[in-house]
Amino acid sequence: MSRSFLHISLSISLSLLTSVAAHAADSAPGNTAGSTANDAAGKPKQLVMISFDGAHDNALWQKSREMAARNGAHFTYFLSCTFLMNQTAKKAYQAPHQKQGRSNIGFAQSDDEIRERLGNIWHAHLEGHDISSHACGHFDGRQWSAADWSAEYATFHTTLKNAWKGVDLEEPKGWQDLVDHGIHGFRAPYLSATSGADMITAEKKAGFTYDASLVTKGPAMPVEEAGIIRFGLPLIPEGPREKPIIGMDYNLFVRHSKGEEDKADTREFEDRAYSAFKDAFDQQYRGPRIPLQLGFHFVEMNGGAYWRALDRLVSDVCHRQDVACVSYSQAIPLIKARGKLQQQPASGL
């Protein structure tokens, strides 16, 4: 007999469920964005979009969901599908131009780990977060064709369709609808978007409506290209010399400690990261209120410095009446309402 979905539901911590209930009014999608698009001064709400790549470690699923519930925020989770593949599924996976059974980020370690992860994904969806795609094996697709991308997207879709059955769990009602119609966004591994129209063509075919793989010189409005809304993580000033850096934890990790774990200086790294995030926020909040996007991974680098900096930022700003900490899907209609979504000719066309 298959294990029931109730088994997964009961594994969700009581503290999280209490927190979600306490913040239900604040964290519903409509209320997070607010009943009006503008504040009392006539300015649009300052949008903050926090996203996570990989979305694998179950402890960090819990931690991020608790952070969001405390602060009335919604996040976007770019899921890598190999973390829903057990040892049997691993053998069948083959990314474009790669050997069968290979992944740059590994696979799930056990069926129980997958079961817990599926519970986190489903509850995050119910809480109003965006579940989006980070493909599967985290390969650099810069040279991939439209057919290559389509193959990887198809693997992602099939993996999620069969995820509960693959670990002998009864899936919740609505899971198939989420997989078929509720996954709207994609971020390319390594932010390696294919030049030209190939990736966009494949994204449209797969049913995506937005892409978050670009890098911009600073916070920037998205552009719509051939029917795909394209977002970019911004370069933001950081450190004593205010050198620009992509607003993402891994880039800070490389700058601060050359990509080597350094727990001794974790507080310094946290303060530097928080200052960079908060200064980038303040510049937009006091000025044109361009949405601020920041990216993270499900890895606590340098002793958790960047997750603590994120928690401080979210706690500082997301409760404000003129700020909306939203997912990418929630941000799109608010940006469209401002008339700020620009059209861009399709790449390579």
Side-chain angles (χ1 to χ4, degrees):
M1 182 180 294
S2 66
R3 302 186 185 218
S4 69
F5 175 60
L6 179 61
H7 173 80
I8 291 298
S9 298
L10 292 175
S11 71
I12 304 301
S13 66
L14 178 61
S15 61
L16 175 58
L17 293 178
T18 302
S19 182
V20 170
H23 291 276
D26 291 333
S27 52
N31 291 335
T32 301
S35 58
T36 62
N38 299 336
D39 67 13
K43 279 189 171 186
K45 282 181 176 287
Q46 176 62 53
L47 303 184
V48 178
M49 290 114 82
I50 304 298
S51 58
F52 299 94
D53 291 4
H56 56 295
D57 186 288
N58 282 309
L60 295 181
W61 266 109
Q62 291 278 326
K63 190 171 187 175
S64 62
R65 289 171 54 211
E66 289 168 358
M67 185 191 308
R70 286 197 312 271
N71 297 289
H74 287 107
F75 298 146
T76 300
Y77 295 94
F78 290 104
L79 173 67
S80 297
C81 86
T82 56
F83 295 122
L84 294 177
M85 294 182 185
N86 58 19
Q87 294 304 302
T88 300
K90 164 187 174 179
K91 297 174 183 177
Y93 171 59
Q94 185 168 16
H97 314 292
Q98 302 294 329
K99 292 182 179 179
Q100 198 165 2
R102 182 167 181 264
S103 164
N104 275 350
I105 51 175
F107 298 85
Q109 297 301 301
S110 70
D111 285 6
D112 281 343
E113 178 192 306
I114 295 174
R115 292 178 183 119
E116 185 176 356
R117 183 168 297 117
L118 286 169
N120 275 307
I121 293 169
W122 181 242
H123 281 85
H125 165 66
L126 294 179
E127 291 156 10
H129 301 291
D130 238 6
I131 306 301
S132 290
S133 173
H134 200 41
C136 292
H138 209 275
F139 292 103
D140 188 337
R142 203 170 313 178
Q143 304 301 319
W144 285 4
S145 67
D148 292 334
W149 281 114
S150 290
E152 186 80 342
Y153 295 154
T155 300
F156 179 92
H157 184 260
T158 301
T159 299
L160 267 67
K161 289 280 285 184
N162 299 322
W164 295 76
K165 181 171 64 176
V167 291
D168 298 321
L169 274 182
E170 180 183 344
E171 69 181 39
K173 184 179 179 180
W175 177 262
Q176 295 297 322
D177 185 63
L178 166 64
V179 176
D180 289 338
H181 307 294
I183 297 176
H184 303 297
F186 173 71
R187 174 173 285 155
Y190 307 107
L191 303 178
S192 292
T194 304
S195 60
D198 282 349
M199 193 176 81
I200 293 175
T201 298
E203 286 176 329
K204 288 180 66 177
K205 183 178 177 181
F208 296 126
T209 57
Y210 75 82
D211 174 276
S213 307
L214 301 178
V215 176
T216 56
K217 291 182 179 179
M221 288 292 181
V223 295
E224 186 168 3
E225 184 174 352
I228 297 292
I229 298 173
R230 306 194 73 186
F231 291 89
L233 288 171
L235 293 172
I236 60 175
E238 189 276 334
R241 298 182 182 179
E242 296 191 336
K243 291 176 62 177
I245 192 169
I246 297 174
M248 198 170 213
D249 56 358
Y250 178 75
N251 301 81
L252 292 164
F253 178 51
V254 171
R255 173 174 289 183
H256 291 167
S257 60
K258 298 183 180 179
E260 298 290 335
E261 186 68 14
D262 178 1
K263 294 183 179 179
D265 297 309
T266 184
R267 293 299 173 186
E268 176 189 345
F269 300 147
E270 174 191 341
D271 289 343
R272 280 183 57 165
Y274 172 74
S275 293
F277 300 158
K278 186 59 163 50
D279 288 348
F281 170 86
D282 287 341
Q283 184 177 21
Q284 297 307 319
Y285 182 70
R286 296 167 182 164
R289 296 205 171 175
I290 296 171
L292 176 65
Q293 302 169 60
L294 297 172
F296 298 84
H297 292 78
F298 265 29
V299 179
E300 291 187 298
M301 306 165 199
N302 280 338
Y306 312 113
W307 273 66
R308 291 197 305 274
L310 168 63
D311 200 343
R312 287 168 62 182
L313 179 75
V314 170
S315 299
D316 283 351
V317 308
C318 291
H319 291 286
R320 302 184 190 185
Q321 291 296 313
D322 52 357
V323 174
C325 293
V326 294
S327 70
Y328 279 97
S329 291
Q330 291 170 328
I332 288 171
L334 298 175
I335 292 169
K336 285 182 175 179
R338 291 172 63 176
K340 295 293 186 180
L341 184 61
Q342 299 180 350
Q343 300 293 319
Q344 179 173 309
S347 299
L349 298 181

